[in-house]
Amino acid sequence: MSLRVAVVGSGPAGSSAAETLVKAGIETYLFERKLDNAKPCGGAIPLCMVDEFDLPPSIIDRRVRKMKMISPSNIEVNIGETLKDDEYIGMCRREVMDGFMRDRAASLGAKLINGTVYALDLPKSSNQPYTLHYTEHREDGLVGDNKSLQVDLVIGADGANSRVAKAIDAGDYNYAIAFQERIRLPEDKMAYYEDLAEMYVGNDVSPDFYAWVFPKYDHVAVGTGTMRVNQAKIKQLQAGIRARAAKRLEGGEIIKVEAHPIPEHPRPRRVVGRVALVGDAAGTVTKSSGEGIYFAAKSARMCAETIVEFSNGGQRIPTEDDLKVYLKRWDKQYGMTYKVLDLLQTVFYRSDATREAFVEMCSDIDVQKLTFDSYLYKTVVPANPLVQMKITAKTVGSLIRGHALSPTRSW
Ligand SMILES: Cc1cc2nc3c(=O)[nH]c(=O)nc-3n(C[C@H](O)[C@H](O)[C@H](O)COP(=O)(O)OP(=O)(O)OC[C@H]3O[C@@H](n4cnc5c(N)ncnc54)[C@H](O)[C@@H]3O)c2cc1C
């Protein structure tokens, strides 16, 4: 037999899965409803993604080496001094990166189908195939015919509003709404953001997240997110970040406005039968940083590697238990990262007092090094015990100075 796998969605997750599968000689169908999709996204990626996913320099529009953390009272802390000469945060345009990864998977042999998957029929028994129903899109942009395809395995990489997740009753997750404006700045203002990104915290910009100004190719992305999903509220928070960054954005012209959900937790069921969810469809974004691109690509690769392994390179159909090995491996490798970032969000995004403490803490060189290392390389680098004690003492000190530990203080 020869295993047939359908990957629904070709963002960073879907294309990574498809690439791993075709490289192992597995018959792979990669569905994408919009080939020029520009996913609403800040586009920041860690350095390790460039190497691990073999991204060419042309994918990186800007190499950010300086980050400003800005507190509710507008205290600015510069971070980035600990970076080595060749270290940076990559800023990408999603349409460029997604296009590159999708084309690479297709050139390696994935059968790319420009279509919207609208239904998935589940098999009645373990040896029957899954049937995907999709509407094909034509090159002239018009809607084409409705078609169907039978496969042995399905990977749901179709993002936060995943249809595949619905079809398998994967359950809901909490999500935040992120809102972003793309603003083209006058040249002198843009020069300021050449290799600099800004993160703002405060109740005025988000009650439970942060707001950002990220430099893109020829403009900046200015946005915010919140779990208090409500249209009036998100507009008010966006006005908050625009006001905080007003001087730096002066003379800017809004060229695009976008909004999209960001999952806040994994779905209750990420593997059901012979269907596995990866990336945003599974809920792999980290709390507190809202980072999702690397984790989408990585979860998908890990899922595909598990499929290659348990199918003996495509000679056998993996079972639900086989697919669940991907989840075990994932949770083992990243479970702690998710817990730590979850905790950080709970402790530090609680009030303006705790946010002040957070920004103060970020001025510490040891904290910066630890944070950057774990972000850039996705390894929880254990600091030596002395440094760890110093960081803990500084954290508590910052919280006390900001009266953040006092239960009576309200902001
Ligand atoms: C405003 C905003 C800012 C963000 N900033 C950052 C950031 O700076 N850095 C970071 O790491 N993360 C960021 N994220 C998170 C990041 O965008 C996601 O985690 C990431 O895109 C997840 O990748 P994915 O491949 O799982 O899903 P997606 O990127 O959502 O890709 C899903 C793909 O599936 C396709 N699709 C969907 N349904 C169907 C269907 N039925 N049939 C066929 N195709 C379908 C879509 O067209 C899309 O191409 C941000 C998110 C938002 C909303």
Side-chain angles (χ1 to χ4, degrees):
M1 73 140 304
S2 168
L3 183 71
R4 299 160 298 175
V5 183
V7 182
V8 183
S10 73
S15 298
S16 304
E19 183 176 333
T20 302
L21 295 170
V22 281
K23 277 184 175 163
I26 290 174
E27 191 175 324
T28 306
Y29 298 86
L30 179 58
F31 286 91
E32 176 52 54
R33 64 178 172 194
K34 201 164 183 298
L35 293 178
D36 58 354
N37 191 33
K39 163 91 200 324
C41 186
I45 57 166
L47 190 56
C48 64
M49 179 151 186
V50 178
D51 267 355
E52 277 184 53
F53 291 87
D54 209 6
L55 300 177
S58 57
I59 297 296
I60 316 291
D61 286 338
R62 286 177 188 272
R63 289 166 172 72
V64 163
R65 299 180 39 77
K66 295 180 214 146
M67 182 75 89
K68 255 190 208 303
M69 286 290 312
I70 302 169
S71 81
S73 63
N74 281 325
I75 291 171
E76 297 185 4
V77 166
N78 294 315
I79 48 185
E81 281 163 36
T82 60
L83 287 183
K84 298 191 193 96
D85 288 350
D86 55 352
E87 290 180 328
Y88 61 86
I89 300 170
M91 292 287 166
C92 312
R93 271 167 296 169
R94 285 293 305 272
E95 55 277 31
V96 177
M97 182 170 74
D98 292 13
F100 171 81
M101 294 176 81
R102 178 189 311 123
D103 290 348
R104 182 167 64 188
S107 71
L108 288 164
K111 296 180 177 87
L112 180 60
I113 298 175
N114 183 197
T116 301
V117 174
Y118 62 85
L120 174 66
D121 293 341
L122 310 181
K124 303 252 177 317
S125 71
S126 62
N127 53 9
Q128 282 179 344
Y130 285 81
T131 308
L132 293 118
H133 300 279
Y134 63 98
T135 307
E136 216 175 27
H137 301 301
R138 298 193 337 213
E139 262 180 30
D140 56 13
L142 295 175
V143 174
D145 296 333
N146 284 349
K147 293 193 168 171
S148 58
L149 175 77
Q150 294 202 319
V151 293
D152 308 301
L153 256 168
V154 179
I155 296 182
D158 47 346
N161 299 315
S162 173
R163 270 171 201 255
V164 176
K166 281 193 192 82
I168 60 168
D169 190 23
D172 288 333
Y173 45 32
N174 290 335
Y175 63 91
I177 279 287
F179 188 93
Q180 182 169 267
E181 291 170 317
R182 312 280 190 119
I183 303 183
R184 184 163 291 135
L185 297 179
E187 229 170 271
D188 58 320
K189 301 278 182 204
M190 193 65 213
Y192 170 79
Y193 289 107
E194 172 69 33
D195 61 350
L196 171 87
E198 292 177 329
M199 287 168 74
Y200 292 78
V201 287
N203 251 329
D204 56 335
V205 296
S206 177
D208 43 19
F209 206 64
Y210 64 89
W212 62 88
V213 182
F214 282 1
K216 310 284 274 186
Y217 178 62
D218 59 353
H219 62 273
V220 286
V222 181
T224 182
T226 179
M227 284 184 69
R228 307 203 185 149
V229 180
N230 156 338
Q231 227 188 12
K233 179 77 181 165
I234 194 87
K235 288 208 167 139
Q236 183 194 331
L237 299 173
Q238 183 68 10
I241 171 66
R242 291 277 301 280
R244 292 274 290 278
K247 270 218 155 85
R248 288 163 185 163
L249 304 178
E250 224 165 46
E253 177 205 351
I254 299 177
I255 50 175
K256 196 173 185 186
V257 180
E258 50 202 2
H260 202 78
I262 302 190
E264 285 281 305
H265 284 292
R267 285 196 197 268
R269 294 171 289 283
R270 291 168 286 170
V271 168
V272 176
R274 283 170 279 132
V275 180
L277 302 176
V278 294
D280 274 16
T284 50
V285 178
T286 53
K287 288 280 271 285
S288 127
S289 67
E291 190 195 349
I293 302 172
Y294 175 79
F295 292 109
K298 189 76 184 188
S299 61
R301 179 181 277 179
M302 210 179 253
C303 174
E305 282 169 351
T306 308
I307 292 169
V308 172
E309 184 184 329
F310 282 88
S311 68
N312 297 332
Q315 300 313 305
R316 165 186 175 268
I317 300 178
T319 63
E320 176 175 296
D321 282 348
D322 297 337
L323 288 183
K324 281 187 172 161
V325 172
Y326 133 65
L327 294 180
K328 283 195 197 115
R329 290 174 177 169
W330 178 258
D331 293 340
K332 185 164 177 229
Q333 187 158 346
Y334 295 109
M336 188 50 82
T337 304
Y338 283 94
K339 281 208 180 96
V340 169
L341 289 171
D342 207 337
L343 188 73
L344 264 183
Q345 180 153 342
T346 315
V347 173
F348 286 110
Y349 292 180
R350 215 158 24 108
S351 67
D352 275 354
T354 56
R355 292 183 190 106
E356 291 289 348
F358 177 55
V359 174
E360 185 193 313
M361 201 182 78
C362 288
S363 65
D364 182 79
I365 289 293
D366 293 322
V367 172
Q368 288 188 20
K369 181 143 182 48
L370 199 75
T371 316
F372 258 117
D373 281 354
S374 29
Y375 172 73
L376 292 181
Y377 301 111
K378 294 291 167 276
T379 45
V380 183
V381 196
N384 80 47
L386 255 181
V387 171
Q388 235 157 26
M389 270 170 63
K390 212 171 104 194
I391 290 175
T392 311
K394 283 203 170 147
T395 310
V396 174
S398 298
L399 285 166
I400 290 171
R401 268 192 303 287
H403 299 277
L405 293 180
S406 152
T408 49
R409 180 105 182 210
S410 69
W411 290 76

